[in-house]
Amino acid sequence: MTRLLRNLPLSVRVPALVAGLMILVGVVASQQVLAVLGRVQEERLREIARLQVEGLAVALGPAVLREDVWEVYDTLDRASLAADGRRLVLTVVADGQGRVLAASDPRRAPVGRPIGPLAEGAQALEEVGLAAGLAEIRVLSSLEYQGRVVGQVLTELDVTDLAAERSRLVRMLLAGNAVLTALFALGGYWTVRRMMRPLRVLARHMDMTEGRPTAIPLDPRHDPEVARLFRTYNDMAGAVEARSEAERRFAERERYASLGRLSSSLAHEINNPLGGLLATADTLQAFADRPEVVQDGAALIERGLRHLRDVAKATLEQHRLDPEGAPLGADDLEDLRLLFSPEARRLEQALEWRVEARGDTLARLPAAPVRQIALNLLLNGSRAAGSGGTVGLDVEEGPGELRVVVRDSGPGLPDSALRRLLTSDPGGPGGGLGLRTVRDLAAALGARIDHARAAGRTEIRVRFPIPEVAAC
Amino acid sequence: MQHRDRLALLGAPVWQGQPLYQSYLIVAPDDAAAGLADLENGIHAFSDPDSNSGWLVTAADLRAIGRRPEEFFARTIFCWGHRNVVRAVAGGLVRSGSVDGYVWEALAEIEPDLTARTRVLARSEWLGFPPFVVRADRMDEPGIRAFRDALLGMETTEAGRAALALLRLDSIGPAQPSLYNGILSRMQALNASP
């Protein structure tokens, strides 16, 4: 029940609680009213019974004393005719020995019979109460005349009208409470819906956000607290936007930083063939008349220039990071190798490179973010492995996924770096954005990142889900 | 009858053509009793200890079978009026009652609901209707004579007829002491030694 209530929306739960409270209040109020009514009715009954007994005592005292059956009966008979005949069902007068002298209905209480059986269940005059479900109650009282008890009076009172009044009141209370409860529940629902409109606006804006929260237009009619809430939300939306912008800028900067780090290696990579090319050019100039030298020199120059062209192309491709761009291919991984190899060579690191994925599998993922992820992890691994270390890249297919695994023989990632890579916790100061960029790009592609450390090696495994291709 | 030696008759009411009436023994309509003897140990209502129809007739009948009201009945009460006897029987206060037959018949016309709750169990012989009497020594007073003339001529005037109609009587007729011999004999029977 509690779980069911908890699962209900707030706009239903609160009115339901209001309705429940109303029912509770209604029940308590009804109980109070019925209790008061019961007391009033009992008081009324006591008064009727008291007046009856006192009146009879005055009228019948001498007759009871003389045991004058006719006089007692005549008085009771006239009294019952004079009364409205509804309340007093039966009046029995007994003598001092408890024998019936006369009754308003002698057939029910014959003369001379003991009053005891008739008085069974009778209440004392001072303690008359209305028992539930009883149509008649009996009251037994002593009959006093001139200060002494001369007999007894048993009065049977019809209380059906009181019971009917009570049940009518119960029905009225139930109907009234039901109507009021329904009205208050509806009122509560409407009020709470109104009160919660700002929250719905807030929730709608948050649903519409999709990574870019939009500000809620402020209305001067808004409640001050709601206005403050909206302002806080707008401030937060602005802060998120600013943060996203900053992250975009940082990511961009990181990309340039990566390239910057690569640039020295690339310069070296370009410089080496350039030296060879220049030497070849000198050779060609010196031995221009020797065709075999010229041919060899030209071939050498061509290989060098092709290499330079590939390096330039890889650099340009890496620079042009476009998430919506071309699909991933084997050549992208080859470019990556081309870009990273000089850095590995510079640090005299062993590079283990293994790509075992089919082209159509690779093509289901975008090239730019995967390349960026792999490059950042490789650069990070290379830096950790240090001079003479080992860095490796495995690209392999799994069921429904493509795994890119980067290994290094470094001392392992510090906690702050792991947090940046594996969680959305804010990174520590000065940590750089390379690993955070990996995490953000992976998250955008729905990829999972695992970290393992075994046999002196750190292994970062990024598992990209392969989107299903609809069968033609 | 107790003071007949000092009283003189002015006249007797004529009811249903004769100056006679009966004493009725009444019970509830559903009472199974077939006669006075079946009412033993019940509660009985008399009208008045000085009444002929409301006491004497029943007491004399009991005397005739060697019984007395106070021991034959479980209890006897006096209701001080023939209508009250009918009320006592009709209301169930008593099992049986001794009542003036003329009163019961008049009530049957005026209050049929009341008499309908009773049944006439036994009727006595016809007895002299209770008369108008005066002290014998004042019989010749002019006022008394005028009163007697007015009584005996009631049916001749409008007011007299209205009064007679109200009383359900035909007229007031002259009466002779012999009319009450029946009552006298019952009194004698009652007072006779067992």
Side-chain angles (χ1 to χ4, degrees), chain A residues 67-71 73-75 77-78 81 95 99-107 110-112, chain B residues 28-30 43 45 75-81 83-85 87-94 117:
Chain A
E67 298 190 3
D68 188 333
V69 172
W70 170 253
E71 190 70 27
Y73 172 75
D74 190 39
T75 306
D77 194 38
R78 287 175 196 280
L81 288 175
D95 60 15
R99 291 179 316 226
V100 174
L101 269 182
S104 58
D105 183 355
R107 288 188 177 85
V111 177
Chain B
D30 56 352
I43 300 177
R75 184 170 194 155
T76 58
I77 63 170
F78 288 103
C79 299
W80 315 106
R83 182 173 175 275
N84 287 345
V85 172
R87 277 176 59 207
V89 175
L93 180 68
V94 295
R117 289 187 281 141

Side-chain angles (χ1 to χ4, degrees), chain A residues 26-327:
Chain A
V27 167
V28 171
S30 304
Q31 283 292 331
Q32 292 292 321
V33 170
L34 288 176
V36 170
L37 177 75
R39 282 200 295 275
V40 169
Q41 287 183 331
E42 285 177 352
E43 195 56 45
R44 209 164 109 198
L45 266 183
R46 273 196 288 274
E47 186 66 14
I48 289 169
R50 192 177 57 77
L51 287 174
Q52 167 85 350
V53 170
E54 286 177 357
L56 288 177
V58 171
L60 296 178
V64 173
L65 209 55
R66 291 196 311 271
E67 298 190 3
D68 188 333
V69 172
W70 170 253
E71 190 70 27
V72 174
Y73 172 75
D74 190 39
T75 306
L76 294 178
D77 194 38
R78 287 175 196 280
S80 67
L81 288 175
D84 58 9
R86 282 180 303 176
R87 177 73 69 217
L88 296 170
V89 178
L90 175 71
T91 306
V92 183
V93 177
D95 60 15
Q97 285 74 48
R99 291 179 316 226
V100 174
L101 269 182
S104 58
D105 183 355
R107 288 188 177 85
R108 286 186 61 193
V111 177
R113 295 273 177 87
I115 197 171
L118 288 165
E120 209 166 293
Q123 306 177 50
L125 183 60
E126 303 76 23
E127 297 161 4
V128 170
L130 269 175
L134 273 184
E136 286 152 2
I137 61 165
R138 291 178 181 181
V139 182
L140 184 66
S141 173
S142 58
L143 189 72
E144 292 184 17
Y145 180 67
Q146 292 185 341
R148 69 185 182 100
V149 176
V150 295
Q152 289 172 291
V153 180
L154 177 73
T155 310
E156 192 173 281
L157 301 166
D158 182 355
V159 292
T160 47
D161 59 329
L162 299 179
E165 188 181 358
R166 196 183 175 90
S167 66
R168 193 174 66 247
L169 196 71
V170 168
R171 282 198 303 275
M172 282 171 61
L173 279 171
L174 279 178
N177 280 354
V179 169
L180 277 178
T181 303
L183 282 176
F184 275 92
L186 281 174
Y189 184 81
W190 182 78
T191 308
V192 171
R193 289 281 295 180
R194 266 186 72 83
M195 285 169 66
M196 295 189 63
R197 195 154 58 190
L199 283 184
R200 288 202 303 279
V201 169
L202 197 60
R204 196 168 62 240
H205 271 77
M206 291 178 92
D207 285 345
M208 287 159 45
T209 297
E210 293 177 350
R212 289 176 63 85
T214 56
I216 300 169
L218 289 176
D219 189 331
R221 289 173 301 177
H222 279 151
D223 177 80
E225 285 186 337
V226 171
R228 197 166 70 224
L229 180 68
F230 282 1
R231 270 198 299 277
T232 305
Y233 173 79
N234 288 350
D235 290 348
M236 195 184 73
V240 169
E241 178 64 21
R243 181 168 172 266
S244 300
E245 186 57 35
E247 282 182 353
R248 273 196 300 278
R249 278 202 306 275
F250 277 126
E252 194 73 11
R253 201 172 297 167
E254 176 67 15
R255 199 144 51 87
Y256 283 113
S258 306
L259 287 171
R261 280 205 299 279
L262 282 173
S263 60
S264 61
S265 305
L266 287 172
H268 184 70
E269 190 70 8
I270 290 166
N271 217 22
N272 281 345
L274 276 180
L277 289 173
L278 286 171
T280 306
D282 287 344
T283 306
L284 286 174
Q285 284 171 351
F287 303 100
D289 55 336
R290 289 175 61 181
E292 72 279 7
V293 174
V294 170
Q295 201 169 1
D296 287 349
L300 197 62
I301 285 172
E302 188 189 355
R303 279 204 303 280
L305 288 174
R306 279 186 191 283
H307 180 70
L308 288 177
R309 188 194 63 188
D310 289 346
V311 170
K313 174 175 164 284
T315 307
L316 283 171
E317 283 294 323
Q318 185 63 31
H319 183 64
R320 195 167 54 238
L321 180 58
D322 179 7
E324 303 298 327

